[in-house]
Amino acid sequence: MTRNTNPEPVDVCIIGAGASGATAAKVLTESGLRVVALEKGPWRTKESFGGDELANVNRYNLWPDPLLNPRTSRTSADDPAELEAFCPVPQMVGGGTVHWQGWLPRFTEDDFRLRSVAGEVPGTTLADWPISYDDLEPYYDKVEWAFGVSGQAGANKYESWRSRGYPCPPMPMSRYAQKFHEGCAALGWNSFPTPQAALSRPFGGRPATVVSAFAQQHGDPTGTRSSALNVLVPDALATGRYDLRPDSYVRELVVDERGRVRGAVYEDAEGVVREQRADVFLLACGAVESARLLLLSKSGRFPNGLANGSDLVGRNVTFHEYSASVGTFDDPVNAWAGGGYVSASSFEFYGHDESRGHVSGGHIAAAGVGIPLPINWGLPGRPTWGAEAKQVDREYFSHSMAVAMVLHDMPQHDNRVDLDDEVTDAWDLPVARITLTPHENDLAQGRFLVDRCGEILEAAGAKGVDRVYAERITGNCSHQHGTARMGHDPQTSVLDANCRAHEVENLYVVDGSPFPTATGANPTLTIMANAWRVAEHIVRGRGR
């Protein structure tokens, strides 16, 4: 490696160009600030995407290469850590929105005050958020209208108030969404069209989204899906004040004599090490990698990692867990038709109800059986190879569907991200090590929700239902939260209510790291809404 002339200082440096980083970049640049974004991964265009299932799902076309970006995990500090692709998220411009299903439900008002609603939960660090739903509602609206989200306001009877409806009506009804609605109706449970980052009609100069089975874990070769890559990044670039640098690996953040971040030391695509200086720095790497970067950034002033005087960086990590019941029907439901675009949801068991014997609940939704694609499809407990597997494919592939849930796992002090003391990445830096023990509340809630998923399928007429219970948290949702939680007290939080580090006055974190709780809903809409809010706060602070 060689060190070369450092780039010109700018107003703001953002580490990461995914959902949160691109949102902040749009707001900051449109307000007149000069922004540099340092993105570890490549900047790919829609022409490089396609429907190759093996490449996208099995061969790391969009996922981080585990040889370059290893990660380790363990169930407790007493156990050895093992190499595992734990909770991977695409590292590229656009981040996880490049290959997401794009489910964008809002959190509810109680999500921001669950500690007050449910009380103390022994063994957890359950805490209220320092902000409320009312604080975020204007920004939920801004993101939904920037993306052209398709949905139906008021259909979810458990949703909190809205200042206006969705910009686009719901996506067309699929057969398996119809089955989901039929099952919920038979049980007397509310269901609604899942709000999605897809256009049911032309919007904002873009055509309606091409509905395809090749959605989840696939990039969009048509460019019609709403993502950070094709909405927010172009908006920021159009200002002429956004310098987006892909293939830029940030090694550490260095501080000046006052303890402020002076620069981001990064290695560019040619192996040249540079230092990007700025007045303000935003971390938007995802909760795992943002915590890792803070812990890597040690100095005399911050010997345990940047902004980590409280020893809370990396702690209280949560990941959700995606599990399901799988049903088979006599008539074809064609779960593969439309992939993750066309779906249906319920918040019937989302809110807290102490009579259930556990705290909180989760988002339930219709889905394909795993990924509804032929190579990776399978039924629980059935053969996955040979003649018997082929027979299962013939009989059930078009006749099966899943009803799945998002687990609201509880934050715990000892569930954490830290630096592995043995394993390094391709840049010879310690990798993130995840230590994670599920709380009994997680397991009880998961069993309860999977049972409800099974009941929906049975009520819809499934002739057979398999319930798949999660006994551990594997990070299979690719949802990450909590490693730098926000709060009013520097002794119990890393960031303040505006997501600025208590200990570093020009450092902000805008991905899922600030979340005090995971909630039971897909987090990306809230991540983007919060990043928009924080970016506006920074703009106001600079007199723009």
Side-chain angles (χ1 to χ4, degrees), residues 106 140-153 162 164-170 195-196 198-204 206 226:
R106 293 184 177 195
Y140 279 140
D141 182 78
K142 290 175 187 290
V143 174
E144 288 166 352
W145 281 78
F147 266 34
V149 173
S150 296
Q152 183 180 348
R162 305 176 56 90
R164 59 175 167 171
Y166 289 100
C168 295
Q196 297 196 261
L199 304 180
S200 59
R201 62 176 179 84
F203 179 85
R206 292 184 293 133
S226 297

Side-chain angles (χ1 to χ4, degrees), residues 90 103 137 214 376 426:
W103 291 357
E137 198 285 333
F214 297 93
N376 286 272

Side-chain angles (χ1 to χ4, degrees), residues 182 229 429 446:
E182 289 174 357
L229 178 64
L429 292 175

Side-chain angles (χ1 to χ4, degrees), residues 442-496:
D442 305 341
L443 302 178
Q445 182 195 122
R447 289 189 292 267
F448 175 86
L449 291 174
V450 168
D451 284 341
R452 303 293 81 74
C453 294
E455 290 174 9
I456 292 171
L457 289 164
E458 290 166 346
K463 65 181 181 180
V465 174
D466 293 293
R467 290 167 168 81
V468 183
Y469 300 109
E471 298 304 325
R472 58 186 291 253
I473 295 176
T474 64
N476 66 357
C477 265
S478 294
H479 299 170
Q480 310 172 3
H481 344 79
T483 55
R485 58 165 45 180
M486 57 175 159
H488 298 302
D489 184 357
Q491 300 302 312
T492 58
S493 58
V494 178
L495 311 172
D496 68 14

Side-chain angles (χ1 to χ4, degrees), residues 212 322 456:
S212 167
Y322 184 81
I456 292 171

Side-chain angles (χ1 to χ4, degrees), residues 127-143:
D128 290 343
W129 292 45
I131 61 173
S132 69
Y133 177 87
D134 290 357
D135 294 323
L136 271 190
E137 198 285 333
Y139 302 102
Y140 279 140
D141 182 78
K142 290 175 187 290
V143 174

Side-chain angles (χ1 to χ4, degrees), residues 229-311:
L229 178 64
N230 69 4
V231 177
L232 303 175
V233 167
D235 285 351
L237 290 170
T239 68
R241 290 181 286 271
Y242 186 42
D243 183 355
L244 175 52
R245 301 175 192 163
D247 301 306
S248 296
Y249 181 90
V250 179
R251 302 178 62 89
E252 67 173 322
L253 301 176
V254 293
V255 297
D256 61 20
E257 64 279 359
R258 295 182 293 164
R260 302 172 81 257
V261 179
R262 183 190 73 198
V265 177
Y266 71 100
E267 184 176 339
D268 66 18
E270 285 72 44
V272 177
V273 176
R274 305 179 186 274
E275 180 181 334
Q276 177 61 56
R277 298 193 177 190
D279 296 334
V280 177
F281 290 81
L282 273 68
L283 295 191
C285 315
V288 171
E289 291 300 320
S290 284
R292 175 175 175 247
L293 180 56
L294 290 173
L295 295 172
L296 285 170
S297 301
K298 298 179 180 180
S299 64
R301 192 181 186 102
F302 298 104
N304 298 318
L306 187 61
N308 195 31
S310 61
D311 188 35

